[in-house]
Amino acid sequence: MGKRYTIALLPGDGTGPEVLAEGKKVLKAAEKKYGFTIEYTAYDLGGDRYLKTGELVPDSVLAELGKVDSIYLGAIGHPDVKPGPLEVGILLRLRFHFDQYINLRPVKLYPNVETPLKDKGPADIDFEIIRENCGGIYTGVGGSAHQGTSLEYATQVMTYSRAEVDRCLRYAFRRAQKREKKQLTLVHKMNVLTHVGDLWFRAFHEMGEKEFPEVKRDYNHVDACTMWMVKNPEWYETIVTANLFGDIITDLGAMIQGGMGIAAGGNINPDGVSMFEPIGGSAPKYTGQKKINPMAAIGAGAMMLEHLGEEAAAKAVEAAIIKALESGKIKSLAAGRMGLNTEEIGDLIAGLV
Ligand code: IPM
Ligand code: MN
């Protein structure tokens, strides 16, 4: 008997449900072939529920999510809700509550995918970004006063404890150790952020020297990193960085690997409940039109399988994505210009698992 996994499905807003349906379809093909089963329970967290009931993540849902093997998320973001409450109240709430302190975002250019980088191909763009996912400026430490007066001010602090930094670095060193080049680049802004940047920098070198001497260490300021990611992406193998910097450079990463339609990520707690998602947003203008690319969601499904320990199945799903791209049947990865609709791409990939 194969293993059984329980997965909480959070389709969310906009095109989230459409892409997640295709992810499920492809995982179903992997279940059959690799002899395991997934049991899904869906939760309607998102903008519609919030607008109807005022609820973001009820405690009862949080308790249930705490019992599953993994969470599979579509997208959060609703055109009728102002920016803030859904992102903070759902996405960040789940990341923080489950202490998903790693955000793993592979940047990999697959064959037949167009990159905006001139003269770069799949051999040049293949690295991983490990973004610290629970701390830093995202924690919300700070405040404001004298609102509405000329004396108004606000602060939002980049806080990091050594323990928070160390656990993220350790994960990153271990990922780097598994890759061919064994090279880890710390990305920060230590020339200006002399307190928090210095903490990351010292922790990085101390841990590297003591625990991972075989991993080559490199350091880039974040502004320089955006430059090198465009100019020489082949220099990168594994990047580790703080929350905000990681947010910014992973969008750049997504663009150089072919766009949001193909970029997948995992919010990982190595000892707890993790959550996998396409990193793009809910694309409300395409809702229900079946124009959006499900590959990012399918790729997130593959990452989830890897995390669950179904490594062969994970590889097969990734290989199926690559075969689908190599088939020449998909004209573009951009929404509405794919030549196939969302469901047809799901069918194509599921058939290749
Ligand atoms: C991401 C998103 C989120 C983030 C937002 C929606 C809170 O941009 O997953 O990268 O900033 O982390
Ligand atoms: Mn982002």
Side-chain angles (χ1 to χ4, degrees):
M1 263 288 280
K3 287 196 173 157
R4 296 180 80 81
Y5 302 102
T6 54
I7 301 294
L9 208 58
L10 309 183
D13 300 317
T15 53
E18 307 165 37
V19 295
L20 222 51
E22 301 314 305
K24 260 178 81 178
K25 187 189 278 176
V26 174
L27 292 183
K28 186 90 222 161
E31 285 171 62
K32 284 208 185 105
K33 186 148 178 202
Y34 290 88
F36 60 92
T37 41
I38 297 180
E39 241 168 62
Y40 294 97
T41 310
Y43 296 89
D44 65 347
L45 303 182
D48 286 328
R49 181 178 184 148
Y50 176 65
L51 288 170
K52 251 184 257 149
T53 67
E55 282 174 333
L56 290 159
V57 190
D59 289 345
S60 59
V61 172
L62 220 44
E64 287 180 37
L65 296 181
K67 294 184 201 139
V68 298
D69 291 315
S70 230
I71 302 171
Y72 195 21
L73 172 74
I76 298 292
H78 195 288
D80 301 335
V81 182
K82 68 175 194 296
L86 299 177
E87 292 87 333
V88 174
I90 299 179
L91 196 56
L92 297 189
R93 173 108 165 96
L94 294 173
R95 287 177 181 169
F96 291 2
H97 180 83
F98 293 113
D99 200 15
Q100 294 161 344
Y101 62 89
I102 297 296
N103 196 325
L104 178 63
R105 295 185 166 179
V107 179
K108 195 165 175 179
L109 180 67
Y110 289 133
N112 263 354
V113 175
E114 210 179 315
T115 174
L117 302 189
K118 191 165 159 280
D119 301 331
K120 299 292 176 190
D124 304 304
I125 303 173
D126 182 4
F127 59 96
E128 278 187 343
I129 301 177
I130 290 143
R131 159 186 177 190
E132 199 290 324
N133 208 32
C134 287
I137 209 163
Y138 273 65
T139 44
V141 172
S144 63
H146 304 309
Q147 272 188 21
T149 77
S150 60
L151 297 177
E152 176 166 355
Y153 74 86
T155 63
Q156 196 114 18
V157 183
M158 186 179 283
T159 67
Y160 270 112
S161 67
R162 177 73 187 241
E164 265 179 314
V165 171
D166 274 347
R167 67 181 185 170
C168 176
L169 290 173
R170 188 164 284 113
Y171 183 90
F173 272 113
R174 288 191 178 135
R175 287 299 294 193
Q177 225 174 12
K178 285 197 202 136
R179 291 181 63 108
E180 214 187 303
K181 277 202 232 159
K182 299 195 191 329
Q183 171 201 306
L184 182 62
T185 306
L186 171 66
V187 168
H188 214 289
K189 186 72 188 172
M190 66 166 311
N191 52 343
V192 172
L193 304 180
T194 49
H195 306 300
V196 76
D198 180 64
L199 170 60
W200 275 85
F201 193 79
R202 275 184 295 110
F204 176 64
H205 287 295
E206 280 172 29
M207 182 176 291
E209 205 175 301
K210 262 197 222 126
E211 297 178 36
F212 303 94
E214 72 285 14
V215 177
K216 194 170 152 268
R217 278 168 271 139
D218 195 9
Y219 170 83
N220 285 173
H221 297 317
V222 64
D223 49 347
C225 172
T226 61
M227 180 172 78
W228 299 129
M229 267 175 73
V230 170
K231 196 165 182 293
N232 295 100
E234 67 280 4
W235 287 355
Y236 292 113
E237 186 78 1
T238 308
I239 290 178
V240 63
T241 191
N243 207 341
L244 179 64
F245 301 144
D247 179 46
I248 296 166
I249 66 170
T250 55
D251 268 25
L252 177 58
M255 283 304 119
I256 68 173
Q257 73 180 117
M260 285 297 179
I262 198 157
N267 302 276
I268 296 173
N269 176 339
D271 311 303
V273 180
S274 299
M275 175 166 77
F276 297 84
E277 55 171 340
I279 82 172
S282 58
K285 70 174 176 186
Y286 292 117
T287 305
Q289 297 183 19
K290 310 251 172 255
K291 282 186 178 170
I292 202 100
N293 191 344
M295 280 182 188
I298 296 168
M303 290 180 75
M304 183 166 78
L305 291 182
E306 187 195 334
H307 184 78
L308 291 170
E310 294 292 340
E311 277 157 23
K315 287 213 173 75
V317 171
E318 192 186 8
I321 295 174
I322 293 173
K323 280 183 225 157
L325 289 163
E326 283 173 337
S327 74
K329 291 181 182 155
I330 301 164
K331 301 222 157 26
S332 154
L333 297 193
R337 283 188 278 136
M338 302 186 294
L340 297 177
N341 70 25
T342 307
E343 285 171 351
E344 289 165 337
I345 292 187
D347 290 338
L348 176 64
I349 296 172
L352 292 167
V353 170

